[in-house]
Amino acid sequence: MTAAAAVARRRRYAAVTAAIVVVALGAAVVGVTTGSFQASLGDVASVFSGGADARTSVVVLGLRVPRVLAALLIGTALGLAGAVFQTLARNPLASPDIVGFTAGSATGALVGLIVVAPTASPAAGAWMGGLLTVAVVMLIARSVGVSRERTILAGIALSMLLAAVNDYLLTRAPIEIARNADQWLHGSLAATSMDDVVLLIASIGILSLVLVLRCRDLRALELGDDTARSLGVRTPRVRLVLLVVAALLTGTATAVSGPIGFIALAAPQLARRLFGTSGIPLLGSALTGATVLVIADVVAQRALAPLQIPVGLLTGVVGGAYLFWIVARSRR
């Protein structure tokens, strides 16, 4: 690559990053200020300065700000998880919601809520469910001969099985718990709080640091296992670490919002096209995932107002259309 091409690529990266951040901030402002209760930017500023009335403070600081922040953070986590999966598998269909890790995290959270402790946080169960799903998928793939295609097929099969398990758990739960869990399974940000935001910040911050430290190894694995080994990468260990990090990112997001499809699937591919990189950019995937989810949540809240639909239903519809587009594009 010539020096001029490198400069042009850096400029494009910076310009696209700035544009995505502006769009995300714009969607966040819309999410905080609009709705059945209108709040101007001045009202929002007065909330943070302590000069707003009680109603405005409750709506803005108690409901809308946590929801917007959670959407940005969950989108970041899913974008990063999808980028790791697709880079390791070198397949645009490799994402947590396709290969079963999202369903596994949901199963773990449901077991925690319904069987273990109904009043406890579902985070621990979601993390354990995601990690166990990683282990099961890898064992299945190894038993039939390790390949990227077999790993994805094993994950899809396990995802279908876990979906049935989730439905069974709902039938055995008390009515009130089952009703809340059913809404959670559709992927909703309506009940998020600042405690959830703190959990997301802490978890995603630690896991992102691990990805930064392993970024060079991830880029090497993108070139293939043989090339990575020639560069000194311990491929089995690094691959396992990266899969665990991606599973924990998925579990963290699922614990707060429930399973939300499409984001982890599409964000890495959208980022690759927007940023014009040969591989999948981690930062670009995180920013794209955050922006897509916060926009989707605003649309889910406002499109059929006063009725609000779970954001997971909206992203699921868009994700189905995206998969059809991939199939049509692959035939061409």
Side-chain angles (χ1 to χ4, degrees):
M1 181 185 299
T2 64
V7 171
R9 174 170 291 187
R10 285 195 294 268
R11 287 178 177 174
R12 175 175 178 174
Y13 201 101
V16 173
T17 299
I20 292 177
V21 170
V22 169
V23 172
L25 290 176
V29 169
V30 173
V32 171
T33 57
T34 63
S36 57
F37 178 81
Q38 298 288 330
S40 65
L41 290 177
D43 294 332
V44 175
S46 64
V47 168
F48 288 100
S49 64
D53 59 83
R55 183 186 180 190
T56 304
S57 297
V58 169
V59 171
V60 172
L61 199 57
L63 300 176
R64 292 181 180 173
V65 169
R67 182 165 184 163
V68 166
L69 291 177
L72 291 170
L73 291 166
I74 290 170
T76 297
L78 294 177
L80 287 172
V84 171
F85 280 119
Q86 292 181 17
T87 299
L88 293 178
R90 287 184 283 171
N91 190 318
L93 292 179
S95 72
D97 39 346
I98 295 294
V99 299
F101 297 151
T102 300
S105 297
T107 302
L110 283 177
V111 169
L113 288 173
I114 296 173
V115 179
V116 181
T119 60
S121 170
W127 287 329
M128 290 300 298
L131 292 176
L132 288 175
T133 306
V134 170
V136 172
V137 169
M138 295 304 295
L139 287 174
I140 294 174
R142 286 182 180 276
S143 68
V144 296
V146 177
S147 73
R148 295 178 181 85
E149 292 76 14
R150 289 191 178 98
T151 301
I152 293 174
L153 289 175
I156 292 173
L158 186 59
S159 179
M160 297 173 64
L161 175 62
L162 291 173
V165 171
N166 293 342
D167 290 338
Y168 173 76
L169 289 172
L170 289 178
T171 65
R172 307 304 300 174
I175 294 178
E176 188 63 30
I177 295 177
R179 185 184 297 113
N180 294 334
D182 184 60
Q183 181 181 6
W184 177 83
L185 277 175
H186 288 124
S188 176
L189 297 170
T192 51
S193 65
M194 287 306 297
D195 290 338
D196 296 322
V197 172
V198 171
L199 171 66
L200 289 168
I201 291 174
S203 302
I204 296 172
I206 295 172
L207 296 170
S208 298
L209 179 60
V210 176
L211 287 182
V212 170
L213 296 175
R214 291 291 183 179
C215 185
R216 176 185 173 277
D217 295 337
L218 182 64
R219 295 280 77 89
L221 286 170
E222 192 173 22
L223 301 174
D225 289 356
D226 293 338
T227 303
R229 280 192 292 268
S230 68
L231 295 174
V233 177
R234 298 181 178 180
T235 52
R237 178 185 300 178
V238 171
R239 187 182 296 275
L240 179 60
V241 169
L242 291 172
L243 282 174
V244 168
V245 169
L248 290 175
L249 285 169
T250 304
T252 300
T254 304
V256 173
S257 65
I260 295 178
F262 173 67
I263 304 300
L265 176 68
Q269 296 302 315
L270 291 173
R272 187 172 64 85
R273 287 167 172 79
L274 288 172
F275 287 86
T277 57
S278 57
I280 297 174
L282 285 179
L283 177 60
S285 299
L287 292 174
T288 304
T291 303
V292 170
L293 185 54
V294 74
I295 292 174
D297 190 49
V298 171
V299 172
Q301 293 180 72
R302 309 290 185 258
L304 300 178
L307 177 66
Q308 294 190 18
I309 60 176
V311 67
L313 294 181
L314 177 62
T315 59
V317 171
V318 178
Y322 177 77
L323 286 175
F324 279 122
W325 177 77
I326 287 181
V327 172
R329 184 171 178 270
S330 65
R331 290 190 62 185
R332 290 197 300 270

